[in-house]
């Protein structure tokens, strides 16, 4: 045994894992295409400066950072959003906004390893940049749910829980907490359930909130329905009308049963400003399957024009575990045709036959050396091919080959002259 192993938290993808990954990526790509997103990409190495942000986010503590040989401070990206924002800002003069962009990005975070957390993961991103209306939130959530549906994940398995930072800001305004303290309070509240309540009290109190307001804020945070929160706010609250428009559009997208208001959804990233959402399995165990929301200041923070944006990040780790738990991952599709032969003398014919089928667009696995029929059929017998062709000396003499349909257990004779055109 080699003394080398994959670095902790990083992943090897053997062919079986790769087949599963491809199935997931295909579902992501198809959903993005169906909803009109354009694909983009960038290098996994970013400048550290772009990724670092001030202010209490876990993600900035987890960055894999290094210097290149010229002393530049670089990093492996922990998420795609700053890169996307940088790319849009660079072309802001020439891009016709809004744009709908998608990518599958490999990301790295130095995380404590628990279920659903790796130090390397792939993250499907959907972002709509330049659209102020809630149609953008509805579009990204509907796209992600469409991928979930095509993977067989229904509302009894997982649901999207949503809330709004704007709503919480309006609540904080009624408690006379200045706007400048809201972002800090959001990040503290996001830690509820992960650290003791006293610690959160301390963090929120550090933002200058009075003991009385703190009590009221915690009362709001324990509310379970949007109607309860509605009573606290004026009838013309912009956050409430946005949430109701979101609900309305989600119903038109046909996914009303897959979304649920939950005030505890805040998100651990600092840049969100409006509606936020996270998808969990219905028991709400483990890490979010996907998460995102509206972010209105990130592009201007990076030197661009003020531009509203909405996006989602959907990792490969949690969903793969969920698909396995529910038996939804399935197995890799079998090879279409596998060709074997008895003696080296039939290698040329077998290669010609393989070439002919491959030219027709069939997927063909050609044996690399001669083998006994018994060995060939037992090798491919375990669901690894749909059709089998085994070529022996008689076939050349008869001018035919036999193609076995392995599931129907039927056999068909094919004329070599038809197949090879000679
Ligand atoms: P995030 O919530 O940090 O958001 O990550 C999004 C998703 O990526 C998570 O829900 C999870 O599925 C997956 N994920 C993140 N970290 C790990 C990890 N260490 N191991 C396994 N899976 C992980 C963002 O990154 C935002 N940038 C998403 C976004 C795009 N917001 C707007 N646009």
């Amino acid at each position: 045994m080699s003394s080398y192993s994959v670095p902790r938290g990083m992943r090897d993808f053997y062919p079986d894992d790769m087949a599963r990954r491809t199935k997931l990526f295909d579902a992501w790509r198809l959903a993005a295409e169906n909803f009109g997103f354009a694909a983009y990409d960038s290098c996994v190495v970013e400048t550290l400066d772009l990724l670092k942000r001030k202010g209490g986010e876990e993600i900035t503590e987890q960055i894999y950072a290094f210097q290149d040989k010229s002393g530049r401070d670089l990093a492996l990206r922990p998420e795609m959003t700053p890169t996307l924002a940088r790319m849009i800002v660079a072309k802001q003069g020439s891009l016709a906004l809004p744009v709908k962009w998608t990518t599958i990005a490999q990301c790295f975070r130095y995380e404590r390893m628990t279920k659903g957390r790796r130090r390397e993961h792939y993250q499907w991103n959907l972002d709509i940049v330049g659209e102020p209306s809630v149609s953008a939130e509805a579009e990204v959530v509907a796209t992600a749910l469409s991928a979930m549906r095509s993977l067989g994940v229904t509302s009894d398995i997982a649901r999207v829980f949503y809330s709004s930072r704007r709503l919480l800001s309006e609540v904080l305004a009624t408690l006379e907490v200045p706007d400048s303290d809201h972002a800090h309070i959001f990040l503290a509240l996001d830690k509820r359930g992960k650290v003791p309540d006293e610690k959160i009290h301390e963090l929120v109190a550090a933002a200058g909130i009075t003991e009385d307001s703190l009590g009221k804020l915690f009362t709001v945070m324990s509310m379970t329905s949007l109607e309860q929160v509605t009573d606290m706010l004026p009838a013309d609250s912009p956050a409430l009308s946005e949430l109701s428009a979101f609900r309305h559009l989600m119903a038109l997208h046909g996914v009303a049963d897959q979304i649920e208001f939950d005030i505890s959804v805040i998100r651990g990233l600092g840049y969100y400003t409006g509606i936020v959402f996270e998808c969990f399995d219905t028991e709400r165990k483990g890490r979010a399957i996907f998460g995102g929301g509206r972010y209105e200041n990130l592009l201007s923070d990076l030197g661009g024009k003020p531009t509203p944006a909405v996006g989602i990040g959907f990792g490969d780790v949690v969903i793969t575990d969920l698909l396995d738990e529910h038996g939804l991952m399935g197995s890799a599709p079998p090879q279409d045709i596998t060709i074997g032969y008895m003696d080296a003398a039939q290698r040329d014919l077998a290669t010609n036959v393989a070439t002919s089928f491959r030219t027709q667009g069939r997927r063909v696995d050609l044996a690399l050396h001669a083998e006994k029929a018994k060995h060939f059929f037992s090798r491919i017998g375990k669901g690894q091919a749909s059709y089998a062709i085994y070529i022996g000396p008689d076939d050349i003499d008869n001018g035919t080959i036999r193609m076995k349909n392995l599931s129907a257990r039927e056999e068909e004779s094919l004329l070599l002259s038809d197949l090879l055109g000679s």
Side-chain angles (χ1 to χ4, degrees), residues 59 78-81 109 111 116-121 123 125-127 267 269 271-272 278 287-293 295 310-318:
I59 197 168
E79 57 163 339
M80 196 64 181
T81 314
R109 299 183 188 183
E111 295 235 27
R117 276 170 209 271
R118 291 280 167 278
R119 293 185 176 160
E120 171 216 358
H121 73 284
Q123 199 188 95
N125 278 242
L126 297 164
D127 286 86
R267 312 266 304 132
L269 297 165
Y271 45 66
Y272 295 114
E278 277 180 343
R287 184 177 194 133
I289 300 167
F290 63 75
Y295 52 101
V310 172
I312 225 168
F314 187 152
D316 66 329
V317 179
V318 186

Side-chain angles (χ1 to χ4, degrees), residues 161 257 338 366 387:
F161 299 88
D257 64 327
T338 296
L366 171 64
Y387 296 91

